[in-house]
Amino acid sequence: ELDGRVELDDAYLGGELAQIKAPTLVMWGEHDMAPAALGQFVADQIPAGRFEYLPGVGHFPFLEAPEKTAELIANFVKGDGAR
């Protein structure tokens, strides 16, 4: 579940996110340092952004859940993920 308030002070976001043209996969662990709602917000600001929430994972999904991370990246690269 993606509960919690997004605090824009949690990270510098500026107006640059909307300028990213490449499809972008934003993966966010449940136990990351910033709330998952911030990750969702970031992905929503990128025109071709996609957000993936990883339950039980922290800040390093490639170390903590390598198989799931590889699956998400592979599917995204194949074109299954860009909105």
Side-chain angles (χ1 to χ4, degrees):
E1 181 169 313
L2 303 178
D3 58 351
R5 232 176 52 174
V6 174
E7 293 288 337
L8 295 182
D9 291 338
D10 285 343
Y12 172 74
L13 301 174
E16 292 87 2
L17 294 172
Q19 298 174 19
I20 297 173
K21 304 294 184 222
T24 304
L25 177 60
V26 178
M27 293 186 287
W28 212 273
E30 174 183 14
H31 303 295
D32 203 316
M33 295 172 275
L38 179 61
Q40 180 69 65
F41 176 82
V42 167
D44 289 346
Q45 301 309 301
I46 301 169
R50 176 179 169 186
F51 178 77
E52 287 290 343
Y53 180 72
L54 294 131
V57 175
H59 188 67
F60 299 105
F62 57 93
L63 294 175
E64 300 169 54
E67 296 84 11
K68 182 64 176 174
T69 300
E71 175 188 343
L72 289 170
I73 292 170
N75 289 339
F76 187 78
V77 170
K78 286 185 223 172
D80 297 343
R83 45 178 157 122

